[in-house]
Amino acid sequence: MAAGAWRSLYRDFCYKRAFSSPIASARHCSSTAETAPKIPHFSKKGRLLTGATIGLLIAGGAYVSTVDEATFCGWLFNATKLVNPFFALLDPEFAHTLAVSAASRGWVPREKRPDPSNLGLEVWGRKFSNPIGLAAGFDKNAVAVDGLLALGFGFVEVGSVTPVPQEGNPKPRIFRLRQEGAIINRCGFNSEGIVAVAKRLGAQHGKRKLDETSSSSSSTNDEVKQGGKAGPGILGVNLGKNKTSEDAAADYVQGVHTLSQYADYLVINVSSPNTPGLRMLQGRKQLKDLVKKVQAARDEMQWGEEGPPPLLVKIAPDLSKEDLEDIAAVTLALRLDGLIISNTTVSRPDPISKNPVAAEPGGLSGKPLFSVSTNLLKEMYILTRGKIPLIGCGGISSGEDAYKKIRAGATLVQLYTAFAYGGPALIPQIKAELAECLERDGFKSIIEAVGADCR
């Protein structure tokens, strides 16, 4: 019946085109004394090609209209794989800017399919639909939060954001090691500053509140709402210090005062290798003094029923056993809300060391970082006795990788480099693979699997 309707539509379309154009009218006008001009005819091959194209369009439209939303959504995500080779031809930083711009304009697929039920979890009183997040560094200035969350991430972390705008290090500063699935960057906290980011997040927050108010009448009171201040997903804000700043604590405190009202959690980034002297703040005394000041700044602000946003620290993978013990001690003593493990590494493990690009200074991310960061994660889970949530970051490119991080002690995980290479199609793939891993090993939820290799 549907096919008949499409054929009828096609007939009507062709009939109207034939008898409504000025040329067709001239052909059928018998009252004029002038000879009608000769009409150029398309070749038989041209007519066949045109007819075939129209037929394909109509048939395609008819078929798509019968496809369910989940299948169509899957097509859209898979279609993004066709764009990846184009991005690979571009300068790395320009490709990154283009990707962020596309997400900010909504030129990316939107995930309409529900996440597997065994991926949902609650951390810090916030409900995550899944534990897969986007690490800081991708959307440094919070221009594409809605578009990135719509891709299906459980949470997105923006930043690092510095108090005063700064350009970062000279370009070029991002280098691909495609065969190794890695990237070296030395961006150096290029940021538009906290004022610009606060205005942007404030506008987005106001729009979401308006949307929630207008749609509240259509939702029932017993619905479980996932997400936080960023609507459907959780928003983290990563804070950095300015390169020329002499008072690091003052920079982080300023970030807390300006941005914490828009964040579901805050991160003190003391581990970027591209800001001189920053990693010195990971020392026991320095870290303790810094965290105390930042916690005090957060707690002196007025908060509603939800309370203040959790405070986390992001640490480096290039730490000694003593360094890890010091950080764990500070974390437990000050009741820090969590740690992100880890940032990029300044080391060049094999086979990276054999690549000429490895000589470029900066932090290495991607697959070569996986083992180093996962071992560090496991050590920190043991040192903190599983008492605080850990976010595993570094080298994740599959659901199996994410699962290994969780078994090593991570409650949540983050991607960056694999997403830069694989694009949006990687997100549903990782979630599906992770759900299968849990089911395979008899875990009913993420929480059950956290730290399984440390027991």
Side-chain angles (χ1 to χ4, degrees), residues 146 149 205 208 212 225-235 264:
D146 289 341
L149 284 172
H205 186 68
R208 288 187 205 101
E212 286 174 12
K225 292 183 69 176
Q226 306 283 357
K229 294 180 181 177
I234 301 295
L235 175 65
D264 289 304

Side-chain angles (χ1 to χ4, degrees), residues 164-219:
V164 179
Q166 62 179 29
E167 291 293 325
N169 294 322
K171 299 177 182 179
R173 53 194 180 185
I174 302 177
F175 307 89
R176 294 188 185 106
L177 297 91
R178 182 169 290 278
Q179 287 187 336
E180 294 85 359
I183 288 174
I184 292 174
N185 95 83
R186 53 169 180 265
C187 291
F189 285 171
N190 49 311
S191 172
E192 291 180 11
I194 58 175
V195 174
V197 172
K199 286 181 179 177
R200 201 166 284 134
L201 289 178
Q204 294 170 3
H205 186 68
K207 182 179 179 296
R208 288 187 205 101
K209 285 294 182 184
L210 189 65
D211 291 343
E212 286 174 12
T213 303
S214 62
S215 62
S216 60
S217 58
S218 61
S219 61

Side-chain angles (χ1 to χ4, degrees), residues 44-243:
K44 185 176 181 181
K45 187 177 180 180
R47 290 198 302 273
L48 286 171
L49 183 60
T50 303
T53 303
I54 293 172
L56 283 172
L57 287 172
I58 292 172
Y63 182 65
V64 166
S65 67
T66 66
V67 172
D68 63 278
E69 189 175 54
T71 303
F72 186 61
C73 189
W75 286 353
L76 290 178
F77 273 88
N78 286 328
T80 62
K81 295 177 182 178
L82 301 175
V83 185
N84 291 344
F86 166 73
F87 277 88
L89 299 174
L90 303 175
D91 168 78
E93 187 156 359
F94 179 71
H96 172 245
T97 303
L98 200 61
V100 174
S101 179
S104 70
R105 289 168 168 77
W107 297 347
V108 291
R110 298 182 69 86
E111 183 59 85
K112 300 290 187 181
R113 299 162 292 184
D115 288 329
S117 59
N118 59 352
L119 297 188
L121 70 164
E122 185 173 324
V123 190
W124 308 305
R126 278 83 172 154
K127 294 185 184 297
F128 292 72
S129 63
N130 70 76
I132 312 298
L134 179 61
F138 190 86
D139 187 6
K140 290 177 177 286
N141 298 302
V143 299
V145 175
D146 289 341
L148 293 170
L149 284 172
L151 287 171
F153 284 111
F155 63 109
V156 167
E157 189 175 310
V158 299
S160 294
V161 189
T162 58
V164 179
Q166 62 179 29
E167 291 293 325
N169 294 322
K171 299 177 182 179
R173 53 194 180 185
I174 302 177
F175 307 89
R176 294 188 185 106
L177 297 91
R178 182 169 290 278
Q179 287 187 336
E180 294 85 359
I183 288 174
I184 292 174
N185 95 83
R186 53 169 180 265
C187 291
F189 285 171
N190 49 311
S191 172
E192 291 180 11
I194 58 175
V195 174
V197 172
K199 286 181 179 177
R200 201 166 284 134
L201 289 178
Q204 294 170 3
H205 186 68
K207 182 179 179 296
R208 288 187 205 101
K209 285 294 182 184
L210 189 65
D211 291 343
E212 286 174 12
T213 303
S214 62
S215 62
S216 60
S217 58
S218 61
S219 61
T220 59
N221 293 332
D222 55 350
E223 283 181 347
V224 178
K225 292 183 69 176
Q226 306 283 357
K229 294 180 181 177
I234 301 295
L235 175 65
V237 177
N238 186 301
L239 304 174
K241 69 174 282 289
N242 281 111
K243 185 177 182 179

Side-chain angles (χ1 to χ4, degrees), residues 315-356:
I315 66 174
D318 312 302
L319 295 169
S320 66
K321 178 71 173 177
E322 185 180 353
D323 292 332
L324 290 178
E325 290 173 351
D326 286 345
I327 292 171
V330 171
T331 298
L332 293 173
L334 298 182
R335 296 183 179 180
L336 202 60
D337 297 299
L339 294 170
I340 299 180
I341 305 168
S342 68
N343 214 317
T344 57
T345 180
V346 294
S347 68
R348 299 293 185 264
D350 290 331
I352 290 293
S353 58
K354 299 172 185 176
N355 191 315

